[in-house]
């Protein structure tokens, strides 16, 4: 009973273009909602994923990218699949930087230092950027 009610609420949200609900329904279609293989509807899953991705849902972009690369429920299109995967990664990275610019710069400094690839000049530039970020906040 809870499962039916939850699915109805999710479907209602999806009809209102709620990206997370669309992606969740896509996953349910891909997995067959715990049923048999025959209950899976890959084409419906791809369609729902594509709609969620078009609304900017990063996980849906990534899921659709893998579907396109592998031809899972859709005609294989490796370049478009890779493009979506790269876009999802870029959006996720941008969100992480926007959420905490200081943490991003500190992590970049640590990675540059620990890998040995960061020269002193670049480390000084990072530190200058960090100082400017702190002054802006």
């Amino acid at each position: 009973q809870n499962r039916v009610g939850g699915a109805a609420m999710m479907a209602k949200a999806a009809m209102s273009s709620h990206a997370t609900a669309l992606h969740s329904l896509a996953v349910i279609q891909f997995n067959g909602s715990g049923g048999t293989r025959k209950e899976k509807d890959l084409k419906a899953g791809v369609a729902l994923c594509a709609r969620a991705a078009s609304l900017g849902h990063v996980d849906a972009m990534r899921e659709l990218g893998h579907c396109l690369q592998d031809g899972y429920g859709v005609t294989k299109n490796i370049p478009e699949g890779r493009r979506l995967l790269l876009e999802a990664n870029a959006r996720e990275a941008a969100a992480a930087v926007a959420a905490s610019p200081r943490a991003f710069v500190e992590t970049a400094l640590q990675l540059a230092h620990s890998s040995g690839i960061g020269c002193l000049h670049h480390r000084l530039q990072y530190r200058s950027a960090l100082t400017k970020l702190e002054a802006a906040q």
Side-chain angles (χ1 to χ4, degrees), residues 3 11 18 21 24 30 34 38 40 55 65 84 99 101 106 117 124 133 137:
R3 182 182 261 189
H18 188 278
S24 295
F30 287 137
K38 292 179 183 178
K40 292 182 181 184
L55 295 169
L84 279 169
E106 287 175 348
I117 60 170
L124 292 173
L133 281 171
Q137 293 176 350

Side-chain angles (χ1 to χ4, degrees), residues 42 46 64-78 81:
L42 302 182
V46 167
L64 183 58
H66 285 294
C67 289
L68 286 163
Q69 271 194 180
D70 301 338
Y72 189 74
V74 67
T75 302
K76 186 183 274 192
N77 186 338
I78 294 171

Side-chain angles (χ1 to χ4, degrees), residues 19-50:
T20 302
L22 286 160
H23 179 248
S24 295
L25 288 173
V27 171
I28 288 169
Q29 293 299 315
F30 287 137
N31 295 333
S33 190
T36 66
R37 280 184 163 212
K38 292 179 183 178
E39 293 180 64
K40 292 182 181 184
D41 189 344
L42 302 182
K43 288 183 181 182
V46 167
L48 290 162
C49 229

